Every structure is written in structure tokens, then in C-alpha cells.
Amino acid sequence: MNKIEHLENNTDIIVAAHRGLKSDYPENTLLAFQKALESEVDMLEFDLRLSKDGVVVVIHDDTLDRTTNGSGQVSDYTLAELKQLDAGAWFDPVFEGLKIPTLEELCTLLNAYPEVLLNVEVKPSRHAKEVADKAVAMLEDYGYLQRCVFTSFDAAIIAYLHDSYQLKTQGFPAELMTNFDSGPDGTYSKMWVVGISMKLLTPKIVKDFLDLGIKSWSYCPDVDQQVYYSLECGVALMTCNNPRPAMRIRHEIATAAQPLNKEMS
Ligand code: G3P
Ligand code: CA
């Protein structure tokens, strides 16, 4: 079963690789995604924006400066221009030559991984609705939509994805979102899960959201202590820059439970 609904009542650790295997490879590149997939994470998380000529590309920041050798707004460049840029050497010279991927290229890579879940983040921008429409259409074409949860810090995009497409959404605490709509039919009523940073994560915030019917999802528990803390708070959905600690702890918990399972059967 690879449908995203599987997460609804799940209590086992589920690991999403944040922007690919971000701890070891340049974020949001096909190599970072390939390495995350090879490490058998449950889910990939990635960020979407629009090129000047209307192509959905995978990049986190609104500008090119941090993660490429270019500068200025991503949306001021055509895809052909974006493809001229290097998206690897900023992380380590050994990765020189990596490019900003399109969503379509990522979809092609995902063909070989029919079980992996997808956390699709639509970054806030004046193009966000167009990005959302194009991403939904492409993920649908590839047959991936059933395994997607959509994220945005723009509450208007959360509402749009929920109302127009009936998709599963991940939002954030109100103070972190733009266009937040309070009230019973507002943003929280359209959020399936809430992303809670390790800085904000407490048992109380998890309970407060649970009281609203919203499951919590932590980011980014990258070391053992944070993984255990996330579990203590009742949060098993984890987006990690380094997925290894969470995956190892999941394995250790499963192994420790085995003799007990045998006794009970
Ligand atoms: O899943 C939540 C996380 O992706 C949000 O943070 O900075 O990667 O957009 P960021
Ligand atoms: Ca993200």
C-alpha cells in the first residue's frame, strides 16, 4: 500500500528526506533525490517554483544565490537559462555540474520507485497557484497523486489544494503562514497535518493540534536525541535532513518488539 492515507493511523516512524538526502548532497538535485531513494526512505520532500517560461522547477529559495552560481529571482529566468547554472558546487566542488531539476525530471526518476510517498511543497510566490495547478496535473499524469501530501506556508494555497482538488495538505502553525484564515472553516480545517519545527515541538503543541483533529509532523529530527524527543511528543512522521538516525531507531524499535510479538502469536 503506498497511498498517503496509510499515514493516518500509523504509529511507526515514517521518514521523509528533506529536499533529498540534504545532509550529504546538494539539496533538491536529482542526485540528492536518487541517494535518498537508494537509502530507502519512505518519502521525498521537495520544493517547487516557476521558471520565467512557466516550467515547474525544483528549488527552495526564491533567488538563485544560495544554491547555484547564478543570482536573482528564479522566476526571472527561462528554463534554458536556469539549466546553464551549476547547482552542485556551492555544496562541494565535487558536485559541480549538477543542475536545477524540473518536476518532470523528478517524476521520471520516481518511475522506478512506485512505493515512495511524496511531500510536494509549493513555495509562496505570485506564481504559487500556477505551480500548484501544473504540479497537480503532472503528478496526476504520472499516476503519483495518490501518494502525495502537499505543503505550503501560504494558507491560500493550502485552501486551494484542499477545496479545488480535495488533496491532503500540510500547513504550519498560524503565525508561520501567510494568508492565514482563522475560524472554524478557516485554514486549520483544511490542514490534514501540521509541520512543527524542532524548535517549536512540545507535547502541548502536539495535543493542541490533535484537539483540532490535526496530526503533527516534525522537521527536522536529525540526531538520535531529536528523534526520541519527537516520539516522546507523540510524533512519528519526521522530515529529516539526515534520515539515518530516524531509520536506525525505527529498526531498533521493531527489532526490540519482535520477541514480544512472537510470544503473543
Ligand atoms: O516539511 C516542512 C519543511 O519542508 C519546511 O521547511 O524550509 O524546507 O521549506 P522548508
Ligand atoms: Ca520544503
Side-chain angles (χ1 to χ4, degrees):
M1 167 157 68
N2 62 19
K3 287 190 177 178
I4 205 79
E5 281 87 357
H6 172 61
L7 304 185
E8 194 103 41
N9 299 311
N10 175 70
T11 52
D12 296 337
I13 292 177
I14 297 283
V15 181
H18 190 219
R19 311 182 205 168
L21 194 50
K22 182 175 178 288
S23 56
D24 298 18
Y25 298 92
E27 66 181 59
N28 281 326
T29 60
L30 291 181
L31 180 64
F33 295 126
Q34 177 69 51
K35 293 296 180 182
L37 292 163
E38 286 170 9
S39 70
E40 300 185 341
V41 294
D42 304 294
M43 186 182 311
L44 288 189
E45 190 271 350
F46 50 91
D47 304 290
L48 299 181
R49 295 185 173 279
L50 204 66
S51 71
K52 188 178 179 182
D53 50 345
V55 180
V56 179
V57 290
V58 187
I59 184 167
H60 181 273
D61 298 2
D62 57 344
T63 64
L64 296 159
D65 301 57
R66 183 178 63 88
T67 60
T68 77
N69 60 348
S71 66
Q73 297 283 317
V74 173
S75 59
D76 285 343
Y77 292 84
T78 63
L79 179 63
E81 289 166 340
L82 292 173
K83 284 291 188 185
Q84 297 296 314
L85 302 175
D86 185 277
W90 69 275
F91 188 82
D92 189 303
V94 76
F95 298 119
E96 187 177 345
L98 295 180
K99 302 295 178 191
I100 299 170
T102 62
L103 175 59
E104 178 127 45
E105 288 166 337
L106 177 55
C107 285
T108 303
L109 174 67
L110 288 165
N111 243 324
Y113 298 90
E115 299 299 322
V116 76
L117 302 172
L118 304 174
N119 180 199
V120 185
E121 180 166 357
V122 178
K123 294 313 270 184
S125 83
R126 65 197 158 93
H127 308 289
K129 190 161 169 287
E130 185 177 347
V131 170
D133 286 332
K134 286 182 168 171
V136 170
M138 186 170 292
L139 292 160
E140 171 88 309
D141 277 357
Y142 275 82
Y144 300 161
L145 211 50
Q146 294 299 311
R147 27 179 177 134
C148 292
V149 54
F150 284 78
T151 293
S152 191
F153 283 91
D154 182 345
I157 295 299
I158 293 291
Y160 180 63
L161 288 163
H162 176 275
D163 294 348
S164 301
Y165 293 107
Q166 291 76 51
L167 289 166
K168 302 277 188 227
T169 64
Q170 180 199 42
F172 297 92
E175 62 276 15
L176 298 182
M177 301 188 82
T178 55
N179 299 313
F180 188 83
D181 182 5
S182 53
D185 298 324
T187 305
Y188 283 155
S189 73
K190 298 166 199 281
M191 279 165 43
W192 184 53
V193 287
V194 60
I196 309 283
S197 71
M198 294 313 295
K199 213 165 53 181
L200 295 183
L201 186 65
T202 60
K204 181 178 182 323
I205 198 170
V206 173
K207 181 180 181 308
D208 288 350
F209 275 107
L210 210 53
D211 289 346
L212 297 172
I214 304 172
K215 201 175 164 94
S216 290
W217 181 341
S218 62
Y219 67 97
C220 293
D222 287 334
V223 296
D224 288 22
Q225 188 198 17
Q226 291 174 318
V227 174
Y228 285 123
Y229 180 66
S230 186
L231 290 174
E232 277 164 36
C233 290
V235 179
L237 279 170
M238 303 183 192
T239 296
C240 306
N241 299 303
N242 177 3
R244 287 177 289 265
M247 291 177 74
R248 193 192 68 252
I249 288 167
R250 172 172 64 186
H251 179 72
E252 286 168 3
I253 291 170
T255 309
Q258 262 172 15
L260 191 64
N261 289 346
K262 269 196 195 139
E263 276 170 31
M264 290 171 75
S265 64

